[in-house]
Amino acid sequence: TESIPELFTPEIIADFATAAEFAPLRNELTEASVSPWKITTPILLAHSNGDESVHYAQSVQMREGLITAGTSEGLITFLSFDDLLHNEAILPWGIATINWFNSIISK
């Protein structure tokens, strides 16, 4: 399912951020998170603002975090696919990714 209420109990939906019983899960998720770092090679971030599975703001925050960490803005290519759902964005993402890699190879 892609339905949050079907994936999680009402308790975790309501109390995840504050309940002590969910502290171990919050800690594990925090530990597994990738923090932005200073990169020295080109990177492509591609996302649709219509993605219902992964929030668009995550890519925006990663881009901002990479820059804050010292990454040159010129190394970051940020592609936004307007209003496409997660599964709908796969084809435009795939084509854009191949084109992006081809552009790097040709430099």
Side-chain angles (χ1 to χ4, degrees):
T1 183
E2 293 180 6
S3 169
I4 295 298
E6 291 179 23
L7 288 172
F8 299 105
T9 65
E11 294 79 19
I12 198 166
I13 292 171
D15 300 325
F16 177 75
T18 57
E21 68 185 296
F22 301 123
L25 179 56
R26 286 193 305 271
N27 292 338
E28 289 297 322
L29 290 171
T30 298
E31 190 174 312
S33 295
V34 176
S35 298
W37 68 101
K38 180 181 179 181
I39 60 171
T40 57
T41 58
I43 189 169
L44 171 66
L45 298 173
H47 211 132
S48 173
N49 61 7
D51 192 327
E52 76 287 4
S53 298
V54 180
H55 201 280
Y56 181 76
Q58 289 186 269
S59 290
V60 173
Q61 290 169 355
M62 180 57 84
R63 180 186 180 278
E64 292 169 0
L66 290 169
I67 292 168
T68 299
T71 299
S72 167
E73 288 187 49
L75 290 176
I76 304 169
T77 300
F78 189 92
L79 297 179
S80 178
F81 304 109
D82 290 336
D83 303 322
L84 295 177
L85 298 176
H86 190 82
N87 291 340
E88 295 171 340
I90 191 72
L91 186 58
W93 166 83
I95 293 168
T97 300
I98 291 168
N99 289 337
W100 182 78
F101 276 112
N102 284 337
S103 73
I104 291 174
I105 292 169
S106 66
K107 288 182 180 181

